[in-house]
Amino acid sequence: MCCPAVTLGVTWRHLFRDGLMQLLRNTHDTVWVRLRVSRGLCVWSVVWVLPMVGLYYSGANLYECGKPWLYTTAAYLNANSSVEWLLAAAACLGCGVATYSVRVLDSRTTRLLVAEEGSARLPTREQLLLWSVWVPVSLALSVPTAMYVVSTSVPPHSNTLGLSLDVLTFFQNVGAPALYGVSALLVPPLARWAVNQVHGVPEPHTAAKLMIVARLIVALVVPCASVLLLNQNCFARWLWVWGPCADEGRFDISTSIEMPIAFQPGVKIPIPVISHSEVCSPRYQPDGRCPRAVVDIIGNLLLNKLIFQACFGPAHMVLLTLPTVRTAREWVSRKLLRKTSYQANTTLDTECVGLVMLLELVLVFGFVVPLLVPVTAATMLLHALAFEICVQHLGATLKHETRPPMGYLWVSLLLGTCLV
């Protein structure tokens, strides 16, 4: 009875393997890179992520009734030296494999993906002008993710910002979709527009660098800095907008004792119990609570963002590439917006930046939130298949070809190592 099942399983395995190899041979270079990376992450999810999750779960002794998903992260790891040593060895192994993988990927993409002809380095003056404008723009685009962190730290009603419970709940619920929307829908066109305004002509390589930096600021730098500044387990500066702390001296509490009769009878000595600054301006305590808060808040944001991207991103790409939708986009741009030369296309600089950004998230937080690895693999695979459908079957026009700026991955690997 088991022979047909075994035969069917072997047949499906060969069909999947042969289909994947055929796709790897005939696909676009960008899709080839994504498929190879997603395949490597899938293998790593079985070989490395499953043992890491098991070790984190067995060493999660910080709380008895915490958030269920945090038992699979470094947030609840506590008081288990043997598990900590095993996790340290696994992290060193992961760091070594990641270093080798980044080096190999950098060399492969150098041979496969070549920058568009005419791409040149911008003059120093133009680069300074471009970055002086782009960094403030990136900080402005980080408002949704900063508000997500605010919603996890500031109490409702009693804050001086006037943020109600409904408003804070709204920002907490839309944090992941907003992060995806800013990264995928706003950053790429703004980056290309900024390069065109400063340089006069499109420069995909520089635009890709702007996208990488903006997405890094929006997804990691500003949220992490906000957690460090506002969270109660870090510097607790949310107290600056807490209503009771606005009343200077409200928490200055003291008592007094009367001197013994043998010394100065009737004289009372004041003894401070607590001061206003101790309540409203607490000092940072290096006891490990702050890194746990970063893993909790930022890890949850990134995991939800990747799940949303895996579900919505491929469908969004295919929808925009449908012939009817392309025709409608071109009609609106040419007739209403007066862009007579507009042509709906798929931009390769955005695809390359998306590949680098997904790997950056894995390299920075993958060691402490291992579930990011399989979710990233699924996201890359679905996006690569959607891209292949758009190119091979829907006739998508490709534009702005450039090579992924892989140098940023070394910085991400260093940050991930420091976080561990």
Side-chain angles (χ1 to χ4, degrees):
M1 293 296 293
C2 65
C3 291
V6 173
T7 304
L8 183 61
V10 173
T11 302
W12 276 107
R13 184 183 64 185
H14 283 291
L15 286 175
F16 178 78
R17 183 187 64 186
D18 295 342
L20 181 59
M21 294 306 297
Q22 183 72 16
L23 183 60
L24 286 174
R25 284 193 295 266
N26 300 331
T27 190
H28 189 272
D29 290 342
T30 303
V31 180
W32 187 91
V33 173
R34 280 183 177 270
L35 289 175
R36 293 301 294 262
V37 172
S38 62
R39 188 176 69 174
L41 290 177
C42 288
V43 173
W44 199 236
S45 298
V46 177
V47 175
W48 185 78
V49 172
L50 288 179
M52 287 286 286
V53 169
L55 289 173
Y56 276 134
Y57 188 83
S58 62
N61 302 317
L62 188 64
Y63 298 115
E64 293 183 359
C65 299
K67 300 178 182 179
W69 83 276
L70 286 179
Y71 285 93
T72 64
T73 70
Y76 289 168
L77 183 64
N78 187 52
N80 196 325
S81 58
S82 58
V83 171
E84 291 174 2
W85 276 107
L86 290 174
L87 284 169
C92 292
L93 174 63
C95 183
V97 173
T99 303
Y100 173 78
S101 301
V102 171
R103 184 176 180 181
V104 171
L105 186 61
D106 192 10
S107 63
R108 293 287 180 86
T109 54
T110 301
R111 294 197 301 266
L112 286 175
L113 302 173
V114 183
E116 210 174 46
E117 292 186 5
S119 177
R121 180 182 176 87
L122 269 65
T124 304
R125 181 179 178 182
E126 292 184 359
Q127 290 192 44
L128 292 176
L129 176 61
L130 188 60
W131 287 108
S132 64
V133 173
W134 187 245
V135 172
V137 170
S138 302
L139 294 175
L141 293 174
S142 305
V143 171
T145 50
M147 289 305 300
Y148 167 82
V149 176
V150 169
S151 69
T152 64
S153 303
V154 175
H157 305 302
S158 60
N159 60 81
T160 57
L161 300 176
L163 300 176
S164 64
L165 177 61
D166 293 336
V167 173
L168 294 176
T169 304
F170 170 78
F171 280 114
Q172 196 161 358
N173 291 334
V174 304
L179 176 56
Y180 171 77
V182 170
S183 300
L185 305 180
L186 295 182
V187 169
L190 285 176
R192 286 190 288 269
W193 178 84
V195 173
N196 289 340
Q197 293 298 313
V198 173
H199 190 53
V201 295
E203 214 294 290
H205 189 64
T206 302
K209 290 182 178 180
L210 295 183
M211 295 178 203
I212 285 288
V213 172
R215 290 181 174 184
L216 187 65
I217 292 175
V218 172
L220 292 177
V221 176
V222 168
C224 290
S226 300
V227 172
L228 292 175
L229 180 66
L230 298 175
N231 192 267
Q232 178 63 36
N233 294 319
C234 299
F235 289 94
R237 292 303 181 255
W238 70 270
L239 294 167
W240 288 350
V241 296
W242 188 39
C245 283
D247 300 333
E248 189 65 32
R250 178 168 181 171
F251 296 103
D252 288 332
I253 301 174
S254 62
T255 186
S256 61
I257 60 173
E258 188 173 344
M259 293 289 291
I261 298 178
F263 295 94
Q264 293 180 338
V267 177
K268 294 184 177 181
I269 299 178
I271 299 178
V273 177
I274 194 171
S275 65
H276 186 83
S277 61
E278 289 177 312
V279 175
C280 296
S281 299
R283 294 182 179 179
Y284 176 81
Q285 300 295 330
D287 54 4
R289 291 183 300 164
C290 187
R292 298 180 196 273
V294 172
V295 173
D296 180 4
I297 298 174
I298 307 303
N300 183 60
L301 174 64
L302 297 180
L303 192 60
N304 289 332
K305 182 258 184 183
L306 288 175
I307 294 174
F308 182 85
Q309 182 175 349
C311 297
F312 179 77
H316 175 253
M317 171 179 286
V318 173
L319 178 64
L320 291 182
T321 315
L322 292 174
T324 305
V325 177
R326 287 209 310 266
T327 303
R329 291 168 58 193
E330 292 175 356
W331 185 88
V332 170
S333 298
R334 293 173 182 176
K335 300 296 183 180
L336 300 182
L337 302 180
R338 304 300 181 184
K339 297 181 179 180
T340 56
S341 60
Y342 176 81
Q343 183 180 6
N345 51 60
T346 301
T347 53
L348 285 174
D349 53 358
T350 304
E351 299 303 315
C352 295
V353 169
L355 169 66
V356 175
M357 191 62 206
L358 287 175
L359 291 176
E360 280 189 326
L361 299 182
V362 171
L363 291 175
V364 175
F365 273 88
F367 295 106
V368 293
V369 186
L371 292 179
L372 286 175
V373 178
V375 177
T376 301
T379 303
M380 281 191 176
L381 178 60
L382 293 173
H383 193 91
L385 295 177
F387 185 86
E388 183 68 8
I389 291 173
C390 295
V391 174
Q392 299 294 339
H393 301 284
L394 297 178
T397 304
L398 302 181
K399 192 177 180 181
H400 300 315
E401 185 170 359
T402 187
R403 191 175 72 87
M406 291 295 178
Y408 293 93
L409 295 181
W410 296 109
V411 179
S412 302
L413 182 59
L414 178 62
L415 292 176
T417 305
C418 295
L419 185 59
V420 175

